[in-house]
Amino acid sequence: MGGTGHGKDQEIDFPPVENGVDYLRSVVEHLTSDTGGGPSPRNLKYAVLHLQAAVEVLLKARLQREHWSLVLERNDVTAATRQKFDDNSFKSCTSTEAVRRLTAMVGVEISKDDRTAIGELGRDRNALQHYGLTVNAEGVESRAAIVLAFLLQFVEEEFHGELEQEQYASVKADMQYVRQGLAKIRSVLSVRMERLAPQLEPLRDRTVECPECRCMAYVASADGTPSCLFCRREAPLETDGEGEWWHDTFLAAAEYAEKILGTPWKQTSGRPDDQFSQPLQPPLERCPGCHDQALVLGARTALDPDREVAFCFGCTRQYAQCEQCRNPIDPEGYPYAPPYDTEKLCRRCFQWKLEFMGVI
């Protein structure tokens, strides 16, 4: 793998899978070469650029194995020929489109968390490449670990047995290096989270997964700004258009619902194609307690990560969810008296159930 020959006769020979795995090796080198406070800004920059390159190379290598035309950009398909493809005279699709085609057309399973991390990595890379990027290093490092883990599994599941023996031997050695590097990165991230445990312990009932770094360290506050203790991300900013800015709990709730839960925006009644008179609404509800539209259905807090609750990013109250309609159960209507004290229904659904049973 790599260069062959010397001087002006030197050739570069990196088949797609080997090329992608070599990028992964470079990512690990950049993320683990520094000691102490994590990778330097320069190493983090090249880790992001090379990780995005690995994503594009490996995803498109899998598409190409299915059929070469799946790699092409949509606008390029009509004039495409195999000769142009072999000559590299074509435009390829984006990594986001590659993910869509792999899941929808090839049948490769890619989780919501992995799709989100890949999308955010692409945005980080574009900002670095074209505009410059100012972000929290811990958040980028944590997301990079997610994408690294995905690509390791992706290569193992999608290319194992497809490579020639010599290619596989080379890839296997690099994969082992990347796997060990990922373990080291995860260990560093874990140590940082352990240091935060004393701070997070009394806040578990209002701590959720961070949309930036994916750590369970994003703390909502009834009298302050929602922020992540791990990557120090704060709630998105809102402005009144006259120079005043504030960290908005409504936007924090919407971002969590979109990025963590993958909840789609709601279409209001009326013409769905009329975006001016009938705009889409964020996937939020109005809190029964503080009445802010900052209540997220299906949230999971650090207090009980396996239990879905309705959580308000404004007042930090949480409510049980109705098992029938999933709406928050107002504390005034729950729990019910025996023999219905085990019911997990809102008052409306509970009344319907009693009517159906003929009790009332």
Side-chain angles (χ1 to χ4, degrees):
M1 181 178 73
T4 59
H6 298 279
K8 61 183 179 181
D9 294 328
Q10 184 177 12
E11 294 180 353
I12 298 176
D13 178 25
F14 274 109
V17 178
E18 294 176 78
N19 189 23
V21 173
D22 185 62
Y23 274 126
L24 294 183
R25 185 182 181 100
S26 175
V27 171
V28 167
E29 289 170 352
H30 281 99
L31 289 180
T32 59
S33 60
D34 299 302
T35 58
S40 67
R42 183 177 185 276
N43 280 335
L44 197 59
K45 178 183 78 169
Y46 283 106
V48 169
L49 296 178
H50 291 180
L51 186 56
Q52 176 63 18
V55 166
E56 294 194 10
V57 168
L58 293 170
L59 296 186
K60 292 174 187 179
R62 178 62 183 89
L63 285 175
Q64 182 179 343
R65 202 183 85 202
E66 196 72 17
H67 195 275
W68 61 269
S69 64
L70 291 178
V71 180
L72 305 182
E73 186 183 51
R74 253 183 230 281
N75 298 337
D76 220 32
V77 174
T78 54
T81 65
R82 182 58 197 243
Q83 184 62 47
K84 286 185 177 181
F85 180 81
D86 292 338
D87 293 340
N88 296 315
S89 302
F90 66 94
K91 293 181 180 179
S92 65
C93 64
T94 63
S95 56
T96 301
E97 177 62 15
V99 168
R100 189 198 70 79
R101 294 179 187 184
L102 282 170
T103 55
M105 303 169 73
V106 182
V108 175
E109 293 186 5
I110 301 177
S111 72
K112 175 180 68 67
D113 288 344
D114 290 332
R115 294 196 302 270
T116 300
I118 290 170
E120 291 176 350
L121 172 70
R123 286 189 287 273
D124 286 348
R125 178 264 178 194
N126 288 341
L128 274 172
Q129 192 83 0
H130 303 295
Y131 315 111
L133 178 66
T134 302
V135 293
N136 181 268
E138 284 86 352
V140 175
E141 193 176 354
S142 181
R143 288 203 303 275
I146 295 173
V147 178
L148 263 177
F150 161 73
L151 289 177
L152 276 171
Q153 183 178 357
F154 182 80
V155 171
E156 188 65 32
E157 292 181 352
E158 300 300 328
F159 296 106
H160 181 69
E162 300 294 329
L163 301 175
E164 296 179 4
Q165 186 173 357
E166 184 178 346
Q167 286 180 309
Y168 181 71
S170 176
V171 168
K172 186 177 180 181
D174 281 343
M175 289 279 285
Q176 182 61 23
Y177 176 85
V178 174
R179 195 171 285 109
Q180 292 171 349
L182 177 61
K184 187 185 299 184
I185 295 165
R186 281 175 165 169
S187 176
V188 170
L189 296 174
S190 178
V191 168
R192 292 181 196 163
M193 278 297 294
E194 288 175 6
R195 290 173 183 165
L196 292 173
Q199 291 177 258
L200 289 169
E201 178 60 31
L203 308 172
R204 291 191 304 153
D205 62 333
R206 49 193 175 99
T207 299
V208 296
E209 189 175 344
C210 175
E212 181 76 14
C213 67
R214 295 301 191 274
C215 293
M216 188 68 83
Y218 195 61
V219 182
S221 174
D223 54 1
T225 300
S227 61
C228 178
L229 296 187
F230 183 82
C231 72
R232 298 184 292 282
R233 175 182 179 78
E234 294 186 326
L237 288 168
E238 181 61 287
T239 178
D240 61 2
E242 298 180 359
E244 291 294 326
W245 292 83
W246 66 90
H247 294 282
D248 193 73
T249 53
F250 166 83
L251 295 178
E255 181 184 51
Y256 174 83
E258 283 186 271
K259 291 188 176 182
I260 300 300
L261 303 183
T263 311
W265 280 48
K266 299 179 292 185
Q267 176 69 56
T268 56
S269 59
R271 289 176 51 195
D273 60 335
D274 190 346
Q275 297 183 0
F276 295 97
S277 62
Q278 299 291 341
L280 290 173
Q281 298 297 315
L284 306 175
E285 304 296 333
R286 196 167 296 281
C287 176
C290 69
H291 306 295
D292 281 354
Q293 192 177 3
L295 189 77
V296 178
L297 302 181
R300 297 175 186 269
T301 68
L303 185 64
D304 188 356
D306 296 325
R307 176 171 171 257
E308 292 187 356
V309 297
F311 180 76
C312 179
F313 278 73
C315 65
T316 74
R317 289 187 181 95
Q318 58 176 273
Y319 306 89
Q321 290 186 187
C322 175
E323 291 183 345
Q324 185 66 36
C325 67
R326 282 180 54 81
N327 283 326
I329 299 175
D330 194 317
E332 295 179 4
Y334 175 82
Y336 304 105
Y340 305 109
D341 51 328
T342 60
E343 293 288 349
K344 299 292 189 297
L345 299 174
C346 66
R347 282 180 291 182
R348 184 178 62 177
C349 292
F350 182 58
Q351 183 174 357
W352 285 349
K353 180 175 181 178
L354 293 180
E355 291 175 357
F356 179 77
M357 294 170 60
V359 176
I360 57 174

